[in-house]
Amino acid sequence: MLKFVNISQSFPDKFSSRIRKNSFDEIYHKLVKDKAKAQASRCSQCGIPLCHIHCPLNNNIPDWLKLAAEERLEEAFELSSSTNNLPEICGRICPQDKLCEGNCVIEKSGYGTVTIGSIEQYITDVAWEKGWIKNINIKQEKNKSVGIIGSGPAGLVAAEQLRIKGYQVTIYDRYDRSGGLLIYGIPNFKLEKEVVMNRTKRLEESGAVFKLNSEIGSTISFDDIGNKHDAILIATGVYKPKEINLNKNDLLNVVSALDFLIASNKKYLNNKVSEFDSGKLNSLNKNVLVVGGGDTAMDCVRTAVRQGAKSVKCLYRRDQDNIPGSQKEVQNALEEGVDFKWLTLPIEYIGNGKILKTKTANMQLGSIDESGRRHPEPVSGSEQMIDTDLIIEALGFEPENLPKMFDLEELTVTKSGTLKVDNKTMMTNISGVFAAGDIVRGASLVVWAIKDGRDVADQIHQYLEKDLKITEDNSKNRELDHA
Ligand SMILES: Cc1cc2nc3c(=O)[nH]c(=O)nc-3n(C[C@H](O)[C@H](O)[C@H](O)COP(=O)(O)OP(=O)(O)OC[C@H]3O[C@@H](n4cnc5c(N)ncnc54)[C@H](O)[C@@H]3O)c2cc1C
Ligand code: SF4
């Protein structure tokens, strides 16, 4: 260990941008054994590991890096998976520059961070190849069942943790595939769908029941599932797009980021997608404008490139230093030919029924606003016109109106519409109904959804244990009464 002085930092190599532009495959080459071992040995094994503190799952990073450097990969896998149910997914898509790697001590001392994410991915990819990841073996199934609404990372992880404890688990999802945003939001070039499907297949083979094409609130009522289960977890994510206040009524070629990405992912998975085939959600030969500067915007611009757009521009009202997303993703987009218009805001969509041009204004950064960043203000007289065939708005997401959707008016929500839960028990104001993931936090990250899934499973277990104990005590009392 401590080889950071002699061994330079090296991330996995990327395929050339020429190849990437024509392919939805992941853009990184897989790590090979020697490189993974060498990179892991750069860790300085610090007494207070800041990477561990800044990982939302508090992964024992220095310990599994040491095991990987010593080629003890099975032990490294056991340790890394003891705190993380989806390490191969986090290794691929966590914004490591803002979490573990961004806080690595050798990064701070100028040597370049240990490439933690790619080593975490390597360890778990090897575990799959070698067959170390087995189905869950339940010794005695409990006579209690949990209904989970939503099969995104929060729901899947809670299901796995509850299954390990022996509960019967049924997961309901409105889509035809499980995985939530892992399957239909995040593009294949960041996270190959097979990686997600391996996890859902294992969970199914471990006895979790998936009810797909089942939207709670329309296909099945909330009451129905409430009657079927001893506890309910709501893990429905946030899906309502935030909108820009422009004249887009009746304009056919303004679409939301998620509609665009879901169509592209479904098409990739060979579903029939009529709005893609009709051209509405397809960038082929178009001048595409994406509005926004987060990771969703980066996914849209890079998808548009791969769909064969004529040109792809990204408009963001702040500068590159102030983007909400990961700089790594901006770099990838730049390499793939995306034209970034920093400090630029669309102010008018021009066209009749269909946008033909977008009027934009240049912005300058003023004083710091409530988001902690400098507030963008328009520069007068800076208007420009950009030829436009398709506008994709990627401005973030809000929760849908769950009390209305579930016909459950008593369900309490916060001002922003996320579900209100008790901080400790993660239970909503309705007894036995829990919530986790983006529907509680607002749009967040996969790693936080995993943390919530693990925590809520513990809380549901405690709730059901108590319930089990009350039932047992009641039946004992009844026996005594009869005696
Ligand atoms: C385009 C995009 C890219 C992203 N990229 C990254 C990234 O690179 N790294 C990262 O860490 N995070 C990323 N995120 C964020 C991350 O995907 C989310 O934070 C995470 O998926 C939230 O997990 P969840 O389980 O709470 O919800 P979701 O993953 O949203 O899952 C919710 C599930 O609930 C289902 N559902 C909703 N309502 C109902 C209902 N009424 N009945 C039945 N089922 C229902 C949905 O169909 C869905 O399957 C990205 C998000 C987006 C939109
Ligand atoms: S889960 Fe994410 S933040 Fe934690 S070690 Fe892995 S890549 Fe880093």
Side-chain angles (χ1 to χ4, degrees), residues 136-272:
I136 303 164
N137 179 16
I138 293 151
K139 292 201 180 74
Q140 204 182 354
E141 189 169 79
K142 288 185 168 53
N143 191 20
K144 291 265 170 196
S145 84
V146 182
I148 297 179
I149 313 174
S151 68
L156 290 178
V157 167
E160 176 170 344
Q161 292 297 103
L162 287 163
R163 206 59 202 132
I164 291 169
K165 289 181 179 13
Y167 291 100
Q168 298 163 31
V169 174
T170 306
I171 306 164
Y172 301 86
D173 204 290
R174 62 182 167 197
Y175 289 136
D176 58 341
R177 286 191 172 85
S178 48
L181 290 173
L182 300 178
I183 202 90
Y184 278 154
I186 300 170
N188 200 71
F189 52 81
K190 272 168 63 182
L191 173 61
E192 283 177 359
K193 302 300 150 197
E194 207 184 6
V195 175
V196 183
M197 289 192 234
N198 283 342
R199 284 287 170 185
T200 47
K201 182 165 171 272
R202 170 177 174 265
L203 199 51
E204 197 166 11
E205 287 171 0
S206 302
V209 177
F210 284 88
K211 301 255 185 215
L212 301 176
N213 298 307
S214 303
E215 183 166 51
I216 307 307
S218 64
T219 330
I220 312 178
S221 74
F222 186 87
D223 268 1
D224 269 358
I225 62 157
N227 292 333
K228 281 197 184 104
H229 303 287
D230 300 288
I232 298 287
L233 169 62
I234 304 175
T236 46
V238 288
Y239 283 83
K240 193 170 140 210
K242 286 189 186 159
E243 296 192 346
I244 193 166
N245 208 3
L246 285 185
N247 56 317
K248 65 178 173 203
N249 287 351
D250 305 327
L251 291 175
L252 291 172
N253 48 350
V254 184
V255 302
S256 89
L258 256 189
D259 287 347
F260 175 71
L261 291 173
I262 290 173
S264 178
N265 278 312
K266 284 193 166 177
K267 199 68 198 168
Y268 178 82
L269 288 162
N270 290 326
N271 282 26
K272 179 148 181 47

Side-chain angles (χ1 to χ4, degrees), residues 370-431:
E370 69 280 1
S371 74
R373 291 175 297 167
R374 290 173 65 198
H375 188 68
E377 289 150 8
V379 178
S380 66
S382 64
E383 288 82 9
Q384 286 180 32
M385 291 288 192
I386 303 180
D387 287 342
T388 310
D389 300 314
L390 177 64
I391 289 258
I392 304 169
E393 293 187 345
L395 304 156
F397 306 97
E398 291 169 330
E400 293 157 278
N401 184 340
L402 282 200
K404 189 161 173 234
M405 191 194 267
F406 290 167
D407 194 17
L408 202 63
E409 290 304 324
E410 65 271 35
L411 186 64
T412 311
V413 295
T414 63
K415 252 196 256 161
S416 57
T418 51
L419 289 186
K420 221 177 195 170
V421 293
D422 179 291
N423 282 343
K424 194 160 164 265
T425 63
M426 300 177 81
M427 190 147 77
T428 65
N429 61 315
I430 301 175
S431 177

